[in-house]
Amino acid sequence: MAQFTPVYGTITSITPMQTADGTQDCTLLFFVMTQDIGPVTFTVTPLTYVEGQETLKPGDPIVAFYDSSVPTPLIYPPRYHAVLIAETDDGLFAAFDYFDENLVNSDATLKLNLSERGETEVLMANGQIYYGTPANHYLLVLYSTTTRSIPAMTTPEKIIVFCSE
């Protein structure tokens, strides 16, 4: 099973990826400064999901998720392939993981409580309203606070449901 690791930081620059035989116009390098691990580079391809299809630019605070089960080159700064990127300018936190039938993530560290008043926006990856239960799917969860329990509980502000296999 894929293990998605978040990296929070601020975009410092964006450039097209250069290869030995020229520029790859459809692959970008996002240079990100983090508080925890310093500079990190992310490759962003047309297959990278960007929450809300935002056009990101230098200075934007983001969270980028990469699959930590995939081999990465041992270079500095580290370079990861971004699977998913979300802007975090509203002080939001993000989780991208598989959530089971109880809306608990794969390592049992986060449990989702859906608001009965409809305060949680639940969308499909294409931006359309999701009418089913988000349980048993990979979810991008945007939230601001959690309890101090184990697992931590949150009522998310937004959930993006990834319906593909």
Side-chain angles (χ1 to χ4, degrees):
M1 180 182 262
Q3 180 66 34
F4 297 103
T5 302
V7 175
Y8 289 86
T10 302
I11 299 171
T12 57
S13 66
I14 300 171
T15 62
M17 186 170 181
Q18 300 291 321
T19 61
D21 51 345
T23 301
Q24 290 185 356
D25 295 330
C26 289
T27 300
L28 301 173
L29 294 177
F30 278 42
F31 298 92
V32 176
M33 181 55 72
T34 71
Q35 288 187 337
D36 299 336
I37 57 176
V40 176
T41 305
F42 286 99
T43 57
V44 177
T45 69
L47 297 178
T48 302
Y49 177 82
V50 179
E51 196 276 319
Q53 295 187 344
E54 296 288 328
T55 300
L56 299 169
K57 58 190 176 316
D60 286 344
I62 63 161
V63 58
F65 290 87
Y66 68 93
D67 185 349
S68 57
S69 68
V70 173
T72 58
L74 293 174
I75 59 174
Y76 183 84
R79 181 180 292 179
Y80 305 112
H81 173 73
V83 174
L84 184 147
I85 297 177
E87 196 170 0
T88 57
D89 60 353
D90 295 330
L92 294 177
F93 296 98
F96 180 55
D97 205 345
Y98 183 84
F99 285 79
D100 67 15
E101 65 276 357
N102 298 311
L103 293 173
V104 176
N105 69 342
S106 65
D107 61 359
T109 57
L110 186 63
K111 178 173 177 27
L112 307 181
N113 295 319
L114 297 183
S115 169
E116 292 182 17
R117 296 184 298 257
E119 296 168 358
T120 301
E121 185 177 23
V122 183
L123 303 172
M124 292 185 282
N126 65 7
Q128 303 306 302
I129 295 172
Y130 183 77
Y131 291 100
T133 175
N136 296 313
H137 289 92
Y138 275 93
L139 306 175
L140 170 61
V141 180
L142 301 173
Y143 61 96
S144 58
T145 59
T146 64
T147 64
R148 293 182 183 241
S149 60
I150 299 174
M153 291 186 260
T154 187
T155 301
E157 294 184 23
K158 183 187 271 188
I159 297 173
I160 307 296
V161 180
F162 290 83
C163 297
S164 61
E165 300 290 320

